[in-house]
């Protein structure tokens, strides 16, 4: 199965960047972080032949605490620590009883990261994008001294186009800088601090598949699984050049052995200068192997953007064919077979490793869960790292991807949590990809969760929130409207999965706020989640609302 760092491949680009790299000192002292030896400038194939993306994790400079002008190109960072990402700067601090219990008695604070890299002249005319899978929290991103933008939430991916601010002369060092600020108390669990998930660099032609730019939906799979299945494919093609471009968009499905499993669908389209277009096509496949918890069959959609005989971009998307249903009387079924969701609610931290999204550690977790009979994970209480979803796709684990623990009112006195930003709007000078001036951060982040995972077969529900009025001191009378907005935002991106939530109130009074929210979930085609519900409470809720599909969340 493909990993998060090689999901999107291009045969169109080969390049070499000049980076500062050094081997990791694995035998770090017990009281020290894992660090690198003094780096030296060497050539490395950071964008290798046949690739469009690469991990951008190695050899960052890090400083704990605030520093004046650390975003500037000429800032002297020679005394800073050398770190590789993912990185959590809370886990290696001293525990303190003056800290906050829900954050594990570990400090947060400000952290600065700097990375220098040289871009060869051959990249003139190319597009470079950096994606952060997660940074906790209040991230500010700078390139060569200019602020590109910010992103307050700690659990969703975000990206910036680097092209306009880069120097492409093959000798000048470009400087990418990130500042994060974890103002504890900010969470009801151990959050960690810093760039704790992967960073990816992508290089493309000016005409290319956009960020998270494919959407795949198998039509009428239950009916047609043993014959021809039509697959709706939507490809977002971007033209960042100054002239109109006519290109051909080709899509083909391949099985796990790399053999073509479908016809190749081609469409010629004209994309206006500095614009994008959603290209809709149908790919046909005969009797696809179904993805399930017992046999996680995966396919890859290969998307090519072609200009004459030249392939401008090649983009690959993992996909699995499965269908499922939540019935209000008979429960859950996958591929037509009734089954129990035997799941866990799993936070993102890796114990003594901290919050780092370490693939080996996450894979170990999933293996243990699979061996003990688990078939589902509810990601509590925030969007999952992309690497977790990749692993669940590979091992056959069903996932409930959860957007938020709270909406606009903070919980348990965590005055610095994300709820302070939910209704804030994106400013016009923020260059964050897919962000629009005036858009609420709540909308941006729930759409980021859905957009990044919309093709993952493991994900079966989108949760709008967990126990949203638990531990809240402020009024939540407006939460019915907030719930309606979140549901609409999700369904603007994906309607192929039901909406859900985690409700610990289990209130059967129809006038209660949570009951009104649950009704909205049901009316959207969703499934009402009940936390800590006993059998008698579940029966009572079913008797009060017999049409609602219910599950133990």
């Amino acid at each position: 199965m493909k990993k998060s760092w090689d999901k999107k491949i291009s045969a169109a680009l080969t390049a070499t960047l000049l980076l500062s790299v050094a081997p990791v000192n694995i035998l770090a002292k017990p009281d020290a972080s894992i660090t690198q030896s003094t780096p030296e400038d060497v050539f490395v194939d950071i964008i290798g032949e046949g690739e469009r993306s690469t991990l951008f994790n190695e050899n960052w400079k890090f400083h704990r605490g605030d520093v004046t002008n650390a975003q500037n190109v000429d800032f002297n960072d020679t005394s800073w620590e050398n770190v590789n990402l993912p990185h959590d700067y809370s886990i290696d601090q001293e525990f303190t009883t003056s800290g906050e219990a829900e954050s594990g008695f570990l400090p947060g604070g400000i952290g600065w990261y700097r990375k220098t890299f040289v871009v060869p002249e051959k990249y003139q005319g190319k597009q470079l994008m950096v994606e952060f899978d997660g940074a906790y929290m209040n991230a500010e991103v700078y390139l060569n001294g200019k602020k590109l933008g910010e992103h307050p939430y700690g659990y969703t991916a975000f990206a910036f186009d680097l092209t306009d601010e880069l120097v492409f002369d093959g000798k000048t060092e470009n400087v990418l800088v990130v500042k994060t600020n974890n103002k504890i108390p900010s969470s009801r669990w151990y959050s960690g601090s810093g760039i704790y998930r992967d960073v990816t660099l992508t290089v493309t032609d000016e005409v290319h598949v956009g960020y998270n730019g494919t959407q795949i939906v198998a039509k009428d799979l239950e009916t047609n699984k043993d014959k021809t299945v039509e697959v709706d494919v939507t490809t977002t093609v971007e033209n960042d050049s100054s002239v109109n471009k006519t290109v051909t968009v080709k899509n083909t499905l391949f099985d796990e052995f790399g053999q073509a499993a479908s016809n190749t669908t081609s469409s010629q389209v004209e994309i206006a200068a500095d614009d994008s277009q959603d290209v809709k096509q149908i790919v046909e496949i005969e009797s696809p192997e179904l993805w399930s918890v017992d046999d996680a069959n995966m396919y890859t959609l290969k998307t090519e953007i072609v200009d004459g005989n030249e392939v401008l971009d090649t983009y690959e998307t993992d996909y699995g064919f499965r269908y499922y249903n939540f019935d209000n009387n008979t429960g859950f079924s996958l591929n037509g077979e009734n089954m129990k969701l035997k799941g866990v609610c799993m936070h993102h931290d890796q114990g003594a490793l901290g919050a780092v999204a370490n693939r080996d550690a996450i894979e170990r977790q999933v293996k243990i869960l699979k061996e003990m009979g688990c078939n589902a994970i509810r990601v509590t209480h925030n969007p999952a790292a992309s690497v977790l979803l990749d692993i669940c796709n590979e091992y056959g684990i069903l996932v409930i991807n959860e957007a938020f623990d709270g909406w606009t009112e903070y919980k348990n006195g965590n005055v610095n949590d994300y709820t302070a930003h939910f209704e804030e709007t994106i400013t016009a000078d923020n260059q964050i990809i897919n962000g629009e001036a005036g858009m609420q951060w709540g909308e941006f982040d729930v759409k980021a969760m859905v957009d990044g995972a919309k093709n993952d077969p493991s994900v079966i529900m989108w949760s709008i929130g967990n126990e949203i009025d638990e531990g809240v001191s402020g009024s939540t009378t407006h939460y019915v409207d907030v719930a309606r907005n979140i549901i609409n935002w999700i369904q603007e991106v994906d309607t192929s999965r039901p909406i859900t939530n985690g409700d610990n109130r289990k209130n059967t009074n129809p006038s209660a706020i949570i009951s009104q929210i649950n009704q909205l979930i049901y009316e959207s085609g969703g499934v009402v989640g009940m936390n800590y519900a006993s059998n008698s409470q579940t029966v009572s809720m079913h008797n009060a609302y017999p049409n609602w599909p219910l599950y133990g969340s």
Side-chain angles (χ1 to χ4, degrees):
M1 291 299 107
K2 290 185 170 56
K3 313 296 191 293
S4 62
W5 51 87
D6 63 4
K7 287 179 70 175
K8 305 175 181 70
I9 305 299
S10 174
L13 293 169
T14 305
T16 302
L17 297 182
L18 177 61
L19 297 173
S20 298
V21 296
V24 175
N25 174 16
I26 301 206
L27 300 177
K29 296 178 180 179
D31 60 348
S33 310
I34 294 179
T35 62
Q36 299 180 113
S37 57
T38 303
E40 57 181 307
D41 288 341
V42 295
F43 281 102
V44 294
D45 290 329
I46 194 65
I47 296 287
E49 183 176 358
E51 295 183 346
R52 85 193 295 265
S53 296
T54 187
L55 284 183
F56 214 44
N57 286 343
E58 292 188 355
N59 198 58
W60 288 71
K61 289 283 192 175
F62 170 73
H63 177 82
R64 183 182 287 110
D66 204 3
V67 183
T68 303
N69 297 324
Q71 73 276 16
N72 292 346
V73 173
D74 59 358
F75 180 86
N76 186 352
D77 60 13
T78 55
S79 64
W80 286 19
E81 181 182 0
N82 296 309
V83 300
N84 290 335
L85 307 180
H87 176 250
D88 174 5
Y89 60 80
S90 286
I91 196 63
D92 61 357
Q93 298 190 66
E94 294 294 325
F95 292 96
T96 172
T97 54
S98 64
E100 205 269 326
E102 290 181 327
S103 295
F105 295 108
L106 284 168
I110 292 173
W112 283 91
Y113 297 85
R114 288 171 56 91
K115 183 174 180 64
T116 59
F117 57 105
V118 172
V119 183
E121 291 182 78
K122 71 168 90 173
Y123 276 96
Q124 288 283 356
K126 301 297 183 183
Q127 300 294 119
L128 276 76
M129 178 189 74
V130 65
E131 178 187 6
F132 299 86
D133 198 49
Y136 198 90
M137 58 182 292
N138 299 307
E140 300 175 11
V141 181
Y142 302 83
L143 179 62
N144 294 333
K146 179 179 179 180
K147 186 176 181 179
L148 300 181
E150 57 192 21
H151 178 249
Y153 198 27
Y155 298 108
T156 48
F158 59 99
F160 290 96
D161 188 333
L162 303 180
T163 310
D164 291 344
E165 304 302 324
L166 284 172
V167 180
F168 293 84
D169 63 4
K171 57 186 178 181
T172 302
E173 285 191 336
N174 294 277
V175 185
L176 181 63
V177 180
V178 180
K179 176 187 178 182
T180 58
N181 189 1
N182 179 8
K183 303 175 184 177
I184 289 176
S186 68
S187 177
R188 293 199 306 134
W189 53 83
Y190 178 75
S191 64
S193 302
I195 309 177
Y196 71 106
R197 293 179 181 174
D198 287 332
V199 177
T200 305
L201 180 71
T202 297
V203 184
T204 66
D205 192 87
E206 288 184 318
V207 182
H208 56 270
V209 178
Y211 177 51
N212 292 325
T214 56
Q215 186 159 21
I216 310 168
V217 179
K219 297 195 300 183
D220 301 322
L221 180 59
E222 182 174 2
T223 301
N224 298 320
K225 62 181 182 296
D226 296 322
K227 46 189 176 181
T228 303
V229 174
E230 291 188 346
V231 182
D232 284 337
V233 177
T234 302
T235 307
T236 301
V237 183
E238 296 182 351
N239 177 13
D240 289 320
S241 75
S242 58
V243 297
N244 294 357
K245 294 282 188 177
T246 299
V247 295
T248 300
V249 181
K250 295 183 178 181
N251 275 300
T252 312
L253 276 166
F254 291 84
D255 63 23
E256 60 183 329
F257 304 107
Q259 301 298 312
S262 75
N263 62 314
T264 296
T265 300
S266 299
S267 301
Q268 190 175 76
V269 294
E270 182 178 7
I271 314 294
D274 196 26
D275 201 358
S276 65
Q277 184 173 328
D278 289 341
V279 180
K280 298 183 182 298
Q281 298 169 302
I282 294 177
V283 173
E284 294 183 345
I285 181 171
E286 296 295 326
S287 306
E289 296 288 334
L290 298 184
W291 183 97
S292 72
V293 296
D294 298 317
D295 196 359
N297 292 297
M298 293 292 292
Y299 289 80
T300 299
L301 179 76
K302 181 180 180 181
T303 303
E304 294 177 296
I305 310 300
V306 182
D307 181 7
N309 295 322
E310 181 183 5
V311 178
L312 302 180
D313 192 16
T314 302
Y315 182 97
E316 294 193 352
T317 308
D318 293 339
Y319 186 73
F321 290 87
R322 84 284 183 270
Y323 62 93
Y324 58 93
N325 183 50
F326 289 90
D327 187 272
N328 56 313
N329 289 311
T330 61
F332 177 74
S333 63
L334 177 64
N335 298 331
E337 296 184 11
N338 277 20
M339 60 181 291
K340 296 292 186 184
L341 293 175
K342 301 175 183 177
V344 298
C345 293
M346 189 170 77
H347 286 271
H348 73 287
D349 69 277
Q350 297 297 318
L353 299 180
V356 291
N358 179 294
R359 190 187 200 281
D360 288 344
I362 294 172
E363 186 172 21
R364 173 183 174 274
Q365 284 181 309
V366 171
K367 283 181 177 179
I368 292 172
L369 291 173
K370 192 80 176 178
E371 288 168 1
M372 67 181 249
C374 174
N375 62 19
I377 294 173
R378 176 173 168 232
V379 185
T380 45
H381 299 289
N382 46 260
S386 62
V387 66
L388 171 62
L389 299 183
D390 287 342
I391 293 167
C392 290
N393 291 340
E394 179 180 346
Y395 280 87
I397 294 284
L398 303 167
V399 175
I400 300 157
N401 214 3
E402 192 153 76
F404 307 112
D405 185 46
W407 294 341
T408 65
E409 309 303 314
Y410 61 82
K411 295 182 175 184
N412 293 11
N414 289 296
V415 296
N416 298 313
D417 70 13
Y418 175 71
T419 61
H421 304 286
F422 188 97
E423 292 182 309
E424 288 182 349
T425 56
I426 298 175
T427 56
D429 60 346
N430 195 335
Q431 299 176 43
I432 194 166
I433 292 177
N434 291 338
E436 299 175 4
M439 173 188 282
Q440 286 189 8
W441 279 116
E443 177 181 358
F444 175 90
D445 286 313
V446 76
K447 285 183 174 179
M449 173 188 75
V450 177
D451 200 33
K454 61 183 180 289
N455 297 311
D456 290 307
S458 57
V459 178
I460 59 170
M461 286 191 281
W462 307 117
S463 173
I464 62 175
N466 168 69
E467 302 176 3
I468 49 89
D469 59 353
E470 172 72 19
V472 172
S473 56
S475 171
T476 57
T477 55
H478 61 297
Y479 268 18
V480 177
D481 291 331
V482 175
R484 183 180 292 107
N485 287 338
I486 298 174
I487 292 169
N488 289 337
W489 293 335
I490 290 173
Q491 295 189 332
E492 286 176 20
V493 181
D494 177 55
T495 57
S496 68
R497 298 169 177 85
I499 309 293
T500 189
N501 67 335
D503 162 32
N504 63 327
R505 298 299 187 191
K506 302 176 283 288
N507 196 328
T508 58
N509 180 356
S511 64
I513 290 174
I514 191 61
S515 297
Q516 295 179 57
I517 292 172
N518 287 340
Q519 180 65 22
L520 287 177
I521 290 171
Y522 163 67
E523 290 173 358
S524 75
V527 183
V528 174
M530 300 175 63
N531 292 358
Y532 315 111
S534 65
N535 182 68
S536 61
Q537 289 171 320
T538 304
V539 171
S540 295
M541 185 68 76
H542 180 62
N543 289 337
Y545 301 98
N547 293 326
W548 289 2
L550 302 171
Y551 83 106
S553 52

